[in-house]
Amino acid sequence: MSFFGFGQSVEVEILLNDAESRKRAEHKTEDGKKEKYFLFYDGETVSGKVSLALKNPNKRLEHQGIKIEFIGQIELYYDRGNHHEFVSLVKDLARPGEITQSQAFDFEFTHVEKPYESYTGQNVKLRYTNIFLYFLFPRYHLKDVIVGKIYFLLVRIKIKHMEIDIIKRETTGTGPNVYHENDTIAKYEIMDGAPVRGESIPIRLFLAGYELTPTMRDINKKFSVRYYLNLVLIDEEERRYFKQQEVVLWRKGDIVRKSMSHQAAIASQRFEGTTSLGDVRTPSQLSDNNCRQ
């Protein structure tokens, strides 16, 4: 599944450097099946290559940066809306720009700490997620409209319906005393029924109707405020699947500040009309004198 549109523009392939030779291990999934995953040990380096290919050579894809992320997280089934991350590593692959042709990027997460073994139980799941690749697109002001599409490139679960939320996450504290507070600003059901492969769902969110603030990052090393679009898929057994995309909000000024040259011109007018004795007359006094003459 591709979130907010770039899936139909770019084909993404992520290959590990030692994929052919690396050992795999069977691991149980939530539905009780067993699948094979690459086996990594604590302290091992995770490296590889990301290949991007434009599906339409005559088009280009503008972006505000491309990043790749490696995450270790714990998910409690009774609290699926919150994933507790204990490993979060990010690498910048490209600065803001545009993709006009196929490109490849090398990445390396050196000596990655993996303190816990993967686990899937009755009430909890601990995993080192697949490496995520994400594009950062242009920012939105507080009265803006978010427009996009969700593409279903491959459907493996029996989806009953889908919703999208706007989440505000306030973070306070530092180090081991970090506290996160999530607030659901808006929630929409955008699909009822199972999608088919290749189907797309249009998204249009008007931000003006909500009480939002600009995104704040590490303010005085005390707190942060971030916003996310949270896509939620609910299957026929009421299991929930999540995918988040951060959106950066900024405040658009309503008043255009006057230029310094314009302000200087106004200031200079206040001192016109001085007499030979050095007295200063106001513009109103000058106009009165001219009338008397």
Side-chain angles (χ1 to χ4, degrees):
M1 184 180 63
S2 168
F3 194 27
F4 274 77
F6 66 83
Q8 288 293 324
S9 302
V10 178
E11 290 184 345
V12 180
E13 185 178 32
I14 302 177
L15 295 176
L16 296 176
N17 284 337
D18 55 357
E20 295 183 0
S21 59
R22 177 165 290 276
K23 185 178 179 180
R24 298 192 181 199
E26 284 190 346
H27 187 75
K28 185 176 67 174
T29 61
E30 284 186 56
D31 55 9
K33 298 180 181 179
K34 290 187 176 181
E35 296 184 1
K36 288 189 175 183
Y37 295 89
F38 289 111
L39 180 62
F40 283 88
Y41 293 96
D42 183 24
E44 277 196 284
T45 294
V46 181
S47 62
K49 179 175 293 187
V50 177
S51 298
L52 306 179
L54 288 177
K55 293 185 177 181
N56 189 338
N58 297 322
K59 292 186 178 181
R60 63 183 183 179
L61 176 67
E62 295 184 357
H63 62 85
Q64 295 298 310
I66 304 175
K67 298 175 181 288
I68 191 168
E69 187 171 15
F70 181 90
I71 293 178
Q73 65 183 17
I74 298 172
E75 178 182 344
L76 303 175
Y77 295 160
Y78 65 84
D79 188 24
R80 287 181 177 270
N82 294 314
H83 292 172
H84 306 275
E85 297 180 359
F86 56 89
V87 175
S88 180
L89 304 174
V90 180
K91 296 288 185 180
D92 293 317
L93 299 183
R95 295 180 177 180
E98 60 183 31
I99 298 175
T100 58
Q101 60 184 1
S102 298
Q103 291 181 269
F105 304 92
D106 293 323
F107 68 88
E108 182 177 85
F109 295 98
T110 306
H111 306 309
V112 179
E113 182 181 358
K114 311 174 198 68
Y116 313 115
E117 186 171 321
S118 298
Y119 174 78
T120 300
Q122 298 295 324
N123 301 299
V124 65
K125 176 169 62 178
L126 186 152
R127 62 175 179 170
Y128 297 90
T129 66
N130 292 333
I131 297 171
F132 287 106
L133 176 76
Y134 54 94
F135 295 74
L136 303 177
F137 292 100
R139 302 178 178 183
Y140 301 95
H141 60 76
L142 299 183
K143 306 298 181 182
D144 217 334
V145 181
I146 300 177
V147 179
K149 288 185 178 181
I150 299 173
Y151 294 95
F152 290 87
L153 304 181
L154 183 63
V155 182
R156 291 181 175 176
I157 58 177
K158 296 180 180 180
I159 299 174
K160 185 171 66 173
H161 66 271
M162 178 170 63
E163 64 186 34
I164 191 168
D165 310 331
I166 301 177
I167 304 294
K168 174 184 176 182
R169 179 175 298 168
E170 181 181 286
T171 303
T172 56
T174 58
N177 299 319
V178 173
Y179 178 74
H180 301 286
E181 181 70 30
N182 290 338
D183 183 17
T184 301
I185 304 298
K187 179 181 294 187
Y188 299 95
E189 183 175 303
I190 57 177
M191 187 191 71
D192 187 13
V196 297
R197 182 177 180 180
E199 185 176 357
S200 64
I201 307 295
I203 301 295
R204 187 179 294 268
L205 298 176
F206 294 85
L207 301 180
Y210 305 105
E211 295 184 1
L212 303 173
T213 66
T215 295
M216 303 178 184
R217 298 180 183 273
D218 198 20
I219 303 300
N220 201 31
K221 298 183 179 181
K222 296 296 183 181
F223 76 97
S224 298
V225 178
R226 300 187 180 188
Y227 292 89
Y228 298 86
L229 295 180
N230 189 43
L231 182 67
V232 185
L233 305 177
I234 299 94
D235 67 12
E236 295 179 348
E237 299 179 4
E238 296 299 326
R239 291 180 297 191
R240 291 173 175 261
Y241 303 86
F242 299 89
K243 188 172 181 65
Q244 283 191 346
Q245 172 79 45
E246 183 178 3
V247 290
V248 179
L249 303 182
W250 59 282
R251 189 181 301 280
K252 187 176 182 180
D254 298 325
I255 301 176
V256 179
R257 299 183 65 181
K258 297 180 180 180
S259 65
M260 292 299 294
S261 59
H262 180 62
Q263 294 178 3
I266 294 176
S268 64
Q269 292 176 2
R270 297 176 181 173
F271 295 96
E272 290 182 355
T274 56
T275 65
S276 58
L277 297 177
D279 295 332
V280 179
R281 301 180 184 179
T282 65
S284 60
Q285 289 174 326
L286 291 175
S287 60
D288 290 339
N289 290 341
N290 291 336
C291 291
R292 295 190 185 99
Q293 293 176 355

